[in-house]
Amino acid sequence: MKTVEEQLSNYKSVHLNKRNILTHFIGVPLIVWAITVLLSLNTFTLVLAEQTVSYTPAIILFTIAMLYYFTLHIKLAIGMLIYVAVNLYLASLVTDMQNVLWLAIIVFVIGWIIQFIGHIFEKAKPAFLDDMMGLAIGPLFLMAEVYFMLGWEKKLANNITPKAIEKRRLIERVQK
């Protein structure tokens, strides 16, 4: 399994442009919210020892993601846990709305359009095209960027940025 430094430096190597990162702060949450809504449309119940537990595919997906994030980096995972809880709550507010399926699809498409605009600024393809884990790392990358802006996890920032720049140089050499 790749370390958090490897994952974040790989992701950051195609996310060095400030405008691209800004578009990701808009696009990624839109995409994650839309997926959360789509995966929250069906609720399942399980009865265990006379206790009824309700869950959605979104809860299962985020539980798996959170377990992965906690294996990568506990402090970032705590931030992600807060984000995921808020995201699940916000999705729950609209799941009973009429036409929510269309709303989620439209938000999903808009999020991706914003993402691809960012990669035009970056002049690099999205990370997930080379590694599907980029889809899971994107939200974690943004959480890391928030931590770095707040002056937290300086050592992590100092470790991933030079690696990302070197990876980007290698990518650009191969493309020439």
Side-chain angles (χ1 to χ4, degrees):
M1 183 170 86
K2 292 181 182 176
T3 66
V4 71
E5 285 182 13
E6 291 170 313
Q7 291 285 19
L8 292 176
S9 63
N10 284 339
Y11 196 89
K12 189 171 183 82
S13 70
V14 291
H15 298 89
L16 294 167
N17 181 285
K18 297 288 186 203
R19 291 181 292 179
N20 185 28
I21 294 171
L22 178 62
T23 64
H24 281 57
F25 270 102
I26 299 165
V28 169
L30 290 176
I31 293 165
V32 172
W33 181 81
I35 291 170
T36 306
V37 170
L38 291 169
L39 293 177
S40 296
L41 294 177
N42 292 309
T43 301
F44 302 95
T45 56
L46 184 63
V47 179
L48 295 170
E50 299 182 26
Q51 289 286 349
T52 302
V53 178
S54 296
Y55 62 94
T56 65
I59 291 171
I60 294 169
L61 173 70
F62 285 122
T63 299
I64 294 166
M66 290 309 309
L67 290 171
Y68 178 62
Y69 293 151
F70 273 102
T71 63
L72 284 177
H73 194 278
I74 291 173
K75 290 178 183 175
L76 287 176
I78 291 168
M80 288 303 300
L81 186 60
I82 294 166
Y83 169 72
V84 164
V86 169
N87 190 54
L88 285 165
Y89 172 73
L90 293 174
S92 76
L93 295 177
V94 300
T95 54
D96 291 332
M97 284 177 37
Q98 189 174 0
N99 298 320
V100 69
L101 177 65
W102 285 109
L103 172 66
I105 292 169
I106 290 166
V107 169
F108 183 82
V109 169
I110 290 169
W112 278 110
I113 290 169
I114 293 168
Q115 294 289 91
F116 286 116
I117 290 170
H119 281 281
I120 291 170
F121 295 131
E122 187 75 49
K123 297 182 178 131
K125 62 185 176 181
F128 77 90
L129 293 177
D130 289 328
D131 183 359
M132 290 300 287
M133 282 306 294
L135 295 171
I137 297 302
L140 187 68
F141 170 79
L142 293 178
M143 186 60 64
E145 289 293 309
V146 169
Y147 277 38
F148 302 158
M149 285 184 243
L150 294 172
W152 302 345
E153 296 301 319
K154 290 178 186 177
K155 181 180 176 189
L156 181 61
N158 291 335
N159 289 342
I160 67 166
T161 302
K163 290 178 184 177
I165 292 168
E166 183 55 35
K167 287 177 190 290
R168 181 58 172 273
R169 287 184 183 139
L170 291 172
I171 292 167
E172 289 171 351
R173 277 188 220 135
V174 170
Q175 290 175 345
K176 289 183 181 181

PDB file of all heavy atoms in Angstrom, residues 17-35:
ATOM      1  N   ASN A  17      -0.945  23.953 -10.175  1.00  0.00           N
ATOM      2  CA  ASN A  17      -1.455  25.260 -10.578  1.00  0.00           C
ATOM      3  C   ASN A  17      -2.534  25.723  -9.599  1.00  0.00           C
ATOM      4  O   ASN A  17      -3.484  24.988  -9.317  1.00  0.00           O
ATOM      5  CB  ASN A  17      -2.026  25.152 -12.001  1.00  0.00           C
ATOM      6  CG  ASN A  17      -2.568  26.453 -12.522  1.00  0.00           C
ATOM      7  OD1 ASN A  17      -3.637  26.880 -12.105  1.00  0.00           O
ATOM      8  ND2 ASN A  17      -1.841  27.067 -13.433  1.00  0.00           N
ATOM      9  N   LYS A  18      -2.393  26.938  -9.088  1.00  0.00           N
ATOM     10  CA  LYS A  18      -3.340  27.456  -8.082  1.00  0.00           C
ATOM     11  C   LYS A  18      -4.778  27.499  -8.601  1.00  0.00           C
ATOM     12  O   LYS A  18      -5.724  27.221  -7.868  1.00  0.00           O
ATOM     13  CB  LYS A  18      -2.924  28.862  -7.624  1.00  0.00           C
ATOM     14  CG  LYS A  18      -1.582  28.905  -6.935  1.00  0.00           C
ATOM     15  CD  LYS A  18      -1.644  28.297  -5.568  1.00  0.00           C
ATOM     16  CE  LYS A  18      -0.308  28.488  -4.868  1.00  0.00           C
ATOM     17  NZ  LYS A  18      -0.093  27.534  -3.827  1.00  0.00           N
ATOM     18  N   ARG A  19      -4.949  27.861  -9.884  1.00  0.00           N
ATOM     19  CA  ARG A  19      -6.314  27.911 -10.440  1.00  0.00           C
ATOM     20  C   ARG A  19      -6.914  26.516 -10.525  1.00  0.00           C
ATOM     21  O   ARG A  19      -8.112  26.336 -10.291  1.00  0.00           O
ATOM     22  CB  ARG A  19      -6.320  28.598 -11.800  1.00  0.00           C
ATOM     23  CG  ARG A  19      -6.007  30.091 -11.695  1.00  0.00           C
ATOM     24  CD  ARG A  19      -6.046  30.763 -13.042  1.00  0.00           C
ATOM     25  NE  ARG A  19      -4.913  30.262 -13.825  1.00  0.00           N
ATOM     26  CZ  ARG A  19      -4.653  30.621 -15.073  1.00  0.00           C
ATOM     27  NH1 ARG A  19      -5.426  31.471 -15.699  1.00  0.00           N
ATOM     28  NH2 ARG A  19      -3.614  30.128 -15.702  1.00  0.00           N
ATOM     29  N   ASN A  20      -6.089  25.533 -10.839  1.00  0.00           N
ATOM     30  CA  ASN A  20      -6.571  24.152 -10.883  1.00  0.00           C
ATOM     31  C   ASN A  20      -7.004  23.705  -9.492  1.00  0.00           C
ATOM     32  O   ASN A  20      -8.073  23.102  -9.324  1.00  0.00           O
ATOM     33  CB  ASN A  20      -5.492  23.224 -11.444  1.00  0.00           C
ATOM     34  CG  ASN A  20      -5.986  21.805 -11.616  1.00  0.00           C
ATOM     35  OD1 ASN A  20      -7.161  21.542 -11.821  1.00  0.00           O
ATOM     36  ND2 ASN A  20      -5.069  20.863 -11.542  1.00  0.00           N
ATOM     37  N   ILE A  21      -6.177  24.002  -8.499  1.00  0.00           N
ATOM     38  CA  ILE A  21      -6.526  23.628  -7.124  1.00  0.00           C
ATOM     39  C   ILE A  21      -7.824  24.313  -6.705  1.00  0.00           C
ATOM     40  O   ILE A  21      -8.708  23.692  -6.104  1.00  0.00           O
ATOM     41  CB  ILE A  21      -5.373  23.946  -6.157  1.00  0.00           C
ATOM     42  CG1 ILE A  21      -4.161  23.048  -6.476  1.00  0.00           C
ATOM     43  CG2 ILE A  21      -5.810  23.749  -4.701  1.00  0.00           C
ATOM     44  CD1 ILE A  21      -2.899  23.418  -5.738  1.00  0.00           C
ATOM     45  N   LEU A  22      -7.979  25.585  -7.072  1.00  0.00           N
ATOM     46  CA  LEU A  22      -9.218  26.303  -6.747  1.00  0.00           C
ATOM     47  C   LEU A  22     -10.429  25.629  -7.390  1.00  0.00           C
ATOM     48  O   LEU A  22     -11.461  25.453  -6.733  1.00  0.00           O
ATOM     49  CB  LEU A  22      -9.118  27.762  -7.194  1.00  0.00           C
ATOM     50  CG  LEU A  22     -10.356  28.612  -6.949  1.00  0.00           C
ATOM     51  CD1 LEU A  22     -10.683  28.706  -5.462  1.00  0.00           C
ATOM     52  CD2 LEU A  22     -10.172  30.002  -7.531  1.00  0.00           C
ATOM     53  N   THR A  23     -10.306  25.232  -8.650  1.00  0.00           N
ATOM     54  CA  THR A  23     -11.446  24.558  -9.293  1.00  0.00           C
ATOM     55  C   THR A  23     -11.766  23.247  -8.581  1.00  0.00           C
ATOM     56  O   THR A  23     -12.936  22.854  -8.504  1.00  0.00           O
ATOM     57  CB  THR A  23     -11.196  24.278 -10.790  1.00  0.00           C
ATOM     58  OG1 THR A  23     -10.111  23.362 -10.947  1.00  0.00           O
ATOM     59  CG2 THR A  23     -10.953  25.549 -11.577  1.00  0.00           C
ATOM     60  N   HIS A  24     -10.749  22.603  -8.032  1.00  0.00           N
ATOM     61  CA  HIS A  24     -10.980  21.356  -7.320  1.00  0.00           C
ATOM     62  C   HIS A  24     -11.694  21.585  -5.995  1.00  0.00           C
ATOM     63  O   HIS A  24     -12.455  20.725  -5.545  1.00  0.00           O
ATOM     64  CB  HIS A  24      -9.665  20.604  -7.115  1.00  0.00           C
ATOM     65  CG  HIS A  24      -9.227  19.884  -8.353  1.00  0.00           C
ATOM     66  ND1 HIS A  24      -9.024  20.534  -9.551  1.00  0.00           N
ATOM     67  CD2 HIS A  24      -8.978  18.584  -8.586  1.00  0.00           C
ATOM     68  CE1 HIS A  24      -8.670  19.653 -10.462  1.00  0.00           C
ATOM     69  NE2 HIS A  24      -8.629  18.464  -9.908  1.00  0.00           N
ATOM     70  N   PHE A  25     -11.457  22.740  -5.383  1.00  0.00           N
ATOM     71  CA  PHE A  25     -12.178  23.059  -4.146  1.00  0.00           C
ATOM     72  C   PHE A  25     -13.668  23.281  -4.409  1.00  0.00           C
ATOM     73  O   PHE A  25     -14.477  23.251  -3.484  1.00  0.00           O
ATOM     74  CB  PHE A  25     -11.568  24.281  -3.451  1.00  0.00           C
ATOM     75  CG  PHE A  25     -10.488  23.933  -2.472  1.00  0.00           C
ATOM     76  CD1 PHE A  25      -9.152  24.097  -2.800  1.00  0.00           C
ATOM     77  CD2 PHE A  25     -10.797  23.419  -1.223  1.00  0.00           C
ATOM     78  CE1 PHE A  25      -8.149  23.766  -1.898  1.00  0.00           C
ATOM     79  CE2 PHE A  25      -9.804  23.086  -0.313  1.00  0.00           C
ATOM     80  CZ  PHE A  25      -8.476  23.254  -0.658  1.00  0.00           C
ATOM     81  N   ILE A  26     -14.017  23.497  -5.657  1.00  0.00           N
ATOM     82  CA  ILE A  26     -15.430  23.614  -6.034  1.00  0.00           C
ATOM     83  C   ILE A  26     -15.931  22.289  -6.595  1.00  0.00           C
ATOM     84  O   ILE A  26     -16.935  21.741  -6.154  1.00  0.00           O
ATOM     85  CB  ILE A  26     -15.628  24.756  -7.061  1.00  0.00           C
ATOM     86  CG1 ILE A  26     -15.197  26.090  -6.465  1.00  0.00           C
ATOM     87  CG2 ILE A  26     -17.088  24.813  -7.533  1.00  0.00           C
ATOM     88  CD1 ILE A  26     -15.021  27.200  -7.475  1.00  0.00           C
ATOM     89  N   GLY A  27     -15.199  21.758  -7.580  1.00  0.00           N
ATOM     90  CA  GLY A  27     -15.644  20.564  -8.293  1.00  0.00           C
ATOM     91  C   GLY A  27     -15.691  19.301  -7.458  1.00  0.00           C
ATOM     92  O   GLY A  27     -16.673  18.549  -7.527  1.00  0.00           O
ATOM     93  N   VAL A  28     -14.660  19.038  -6.680  1.00  0.00           N
ATOM     94  CA  VAL A  28     -14.627  17.788  -5.897  1.00  0.00           C
ATOM     95  C   VAL A  28     -15.786  17.721  -4.901  1.00  0.00           C
ATOM     96  O   VAL A  28     -16.489  16.714  -4.849  1.00  0.00           O
ATOM     97  CB  VAL A  28     -13.252  17.576  -5.217  1.00  0.00           C
ATOM     98  CG1 VAL A  28     -13.307  16.438  -4.201  1.00  0.00           C
ATOM     99  CG2 VAL A  28     -12.177  17.298  -6.262  1.00  0.00           C
ATOM    100  N   PRO A  29     -16.031  18.773  -4.106  1.00  0.00           N
ATOM    101  CA  PRO A  29     -17.187  18.675  -3.195  1.00  0.00           C
ATOM    102  C   PRO A  29     -18.520  18.504  -3.927  1.00  0.00           C
ATOM    103  O   PRO A  29     -19.400  17.784  -3.435  1.00  0.00           O
ATOM    104  CB  PRO A  29     -17.146  20.002  -2.418  1.00  0.00           C
ATOM    105  CG  PRO A  29     -15.713  20.401  -2.462  1.00  0.00           C
ATOM    106  CD  PRO A  29     -15.227  19.963  -3.814  1.00  0.00           C
ATOM    107  N   LEU A  30     -18.664  19.133  -5.090  1.00  0.00           N
ATOM    108  CA  LEU A  30     -19.899  18.942  -5.863  1.00  0.00           C
ATOM    109  C   LEU A  30     -20.046  17.486  -6.289  1.00  0.00           C
ATOM    110  O   LEU A  30     -21.123  16.890  -6.164  1.00  0.00           O
ATOM    111  CB  LEU A  30     -19.926  19.851  -7.089  1.00  0.00           C
ATOM    112  CG  LEU A  30     -20.092  21.350  -6.839  1.00  0.00           C
ATOM    113  CD1 LEU A  30     -20.000  22.123  -8.151  1.00  0.00           C
ATOM    114  CD2 LEU A  30     -21.409  21.639  -6.133  1.00  0.00           C
ATOM    115  N   ILE A  31     -18.965  16.905  -6.786  1.00  0.00           N
ATOM    116  CA  ILE A  31     -18.994  15.508  -7.227  1.00  0.00           C
ATOM    117  C   ILE A  31     -19.266  14.576  -6.054  1.00  0.00           C
ATOM    118  O   ILE A  31     -20.115  13.682  -6.139  1.00  0.00           O
ATOM    119  CB  ILE A  31     -17.672  15.140  -7.931  1.00  0.00           C
ATOM    120  CG1 ILE A  31     -17.536  15.914  -9.238  1.00  0.00           C
ATOM    121  CG2 ILE A  31     -17.572  13.629  -8.168  1.00  0.00           C
ATOM    122  CD1 ILE A  31     -16.138  15.906  -9.829  1.00  0.00           C
ATOM    123  N   VAL A  32     -18.568  14.790  -4.957  1.00  0.00           N
ATOM    124  CA  VAL A  32     -18.744  13.922  -3.781  1.00  0.00           C
ATOM    125  C   VAL A  32     -20.170  14.038  -3.251  1.00  0.00           C
ATOM    126  O   VAL A  32     -20.803  13.030  -2.920  1.00  0.00           O
ATOM    127  CB  VAL A  32     -17.700  14.248  -2.686  1.00  0.00           C
ATOM    128  CG1 VAL A  32     -17.999  13.504  -1.392  1.00  0.00           C
ATOM    129  CG2 VAL A  32     -16.296  13.912  -3.182  1.00  0.00           C
ATOM    130  N   TRP A  33     -20.694  15.266  -3.205  1.00  0.00           N
ATOM    131  CA  TRP A  33     -22.069  15.441  -2.734  1.00  0.00           C
ATOM    132  C   TRP A  33     -23.057  14.735  -3.659  1.00  0.00           C
ATOM    133  O   TRP A  33     -23.971  14.050  -3.199  1.00  0.00           O
ATOM    134  CB  TRP A  33     -22.413  16.927  -2.611  1.00  0.00           C
ATOM    135  CG  TRP A  33     -23.802  17.157  -2.107  1.00  0.00           C
ATOM    136  CD1 TRP A  33     -24.214  17.118  -0.817  1.00  0.00           C
ATOM    137  CD2 TRP A  33     -24.962  17.437  -2.892  1.00  0.00           C
ATOM    138  NE1 TRP A  33     -25.566  17.369  -0.747  1.00  0.00           N
ATOM    139  CE2 TRP A  33     -26.049  17.567  -2.007  1.00  0.00           C
ATOM    140  CE3 TRP A  33     -25.194  17.596  -4.260  1.00  0.00           C
ATOM    141  CZ2 TRP A  33     -27.336  17.829  -2.447  1.00  0.00           C
ATOM    142  CZ3 TRP A  33     -26.478  17.867  -4.702  1.00  0.00           C
ATOM    143  CH2 TRP A  33     -27.538  17.986  -3.794  1.00  0.00           C
ATOM    144  N   ALA A  34     -22.863  14.886  -4.962  1.00  0.00           N
ATOM    145  CA  ALA A  34     -23.776  14.250  -5.923  1.00  0.00           C
ATOM    146  C   ALA A  34     -23.736  12.728  -5.789  1.00  0.00           C
ATOM    147  O   ALA A  34     -24.783  12.067  -5.802  1.00  0.00           O
ATOM    148  CB  ALA A  34     -23.415  14.676  -7.341  1.00  0.00           C
ATOM    149  N   ILE A  35     -22.546  12.170  -5.650  1.00  0.00           N
ATOM    150  CA  ILE A  35     -22.420  10.718  -5.460  1.00  0.00           C
ATOM    151  C   ILE A  35     -23.082  10.305  -4.150  1.00  0.00           C
ATOM    152  O   ILE A  35     -23.771   9.281  -4.084  1.00  0.00           O
ATOM    153  CB  ILE A  35     -20.936  10.290  -5.504  1.00  0.00           C
ATOM    154  CG1 ILE A  35     -20.400  10.446  -6.928  1.00  0.00           C
ATOM    155  CG2 ILE A  35     -20.758   8.857  -5.004  1.00  0.00           C
ATOM    156  CD1 ILE A  35     -18.900  10.289  -7.044  1.00  0.00           C
TER     157      ILE A  35
END
